[in-house]
Amino acid sequence: MALDPRDGVFSLGPVGLIVFYVADLTRAMTFYGEQLGLRRLLLGEGQALYDCGDVRLSLQETPQSAQLTAASPVCFRVSDIVTARRELEERGVAFTDTIQLVAILPEHDLWMTYFRDPDGHPLALTAEGPKGFPLV
């Protein structure tokens, strides 16, 4: 929490941590570490912390299935969505759709494709491409 120096108004900082509750930490670590290739920063009692650039992803094991309810997707930015998807599919990641053009913006186009982790948390790949250039 901070005051914006331009106008003295309260504002939040950038997102720094995302927490996913998982039923089986070992299974989740295999998915995020081996299949997605995220770098693990910490392994503690019932939790693992992964590096996602400026954001950290915390996996916390819980036996309470109510806390495993999926929320909005976490989107991983990639430079080449076709190659990234192909690589993840080769690692056993199952996608739930095809690569889709989701937004035509003034400077670029936005492409996305979705998948889920073993606990059902929605995830996605997203890539910005040159305007009008078909990525798929």
Side-chain angles (χ1 to χ4, degrees), residues 19-77:
V19 177
F20 280 165
Y21 295 109
V22 299
D24 182 329
L25 184 60
T26 301
R27 180 183 69 181
M29 288 171 51
T30 298
F31 180 79
Y32 285 95
E34 295 176 22
Q35 290 182 275
L36 298 189
L38 297 180
R39 183 171 64 96
R40 190 177 72 218
L41 299 172
L42 171 76
L43 177 59
E45 183 67 32
Q47 69 174 333
L49 186 67
Y50 287 87
D51 181 12
C52 297
D54 291 336
V55 177
R56 302 292 184 248
L57 174 64
S58 176
L59 304 176
Q60 297 184 8
E61 191 168 47
T62 178
Q64 300 164 346
S65 62
Q67 292 187 17
L68 296 178
T69 304
S72 298
V74 171
C75 304
F76 293 92
R77 187 177 3 203

Side-chain angles (χ1 to χ4, degrees), residues 70-92:
S72 298
V74 171
C75 304
F76 293 92
R77 187 177 3 203
V78 296
S79 58
D80 182 341
I81 197 167
V82 174
T83 301
R85 179 180 165 133
R86 186 178 314 120
E87 176 67 27
L88 291 178
E89 286 174 326
E90 289 173 6
R91 295 178 182 195

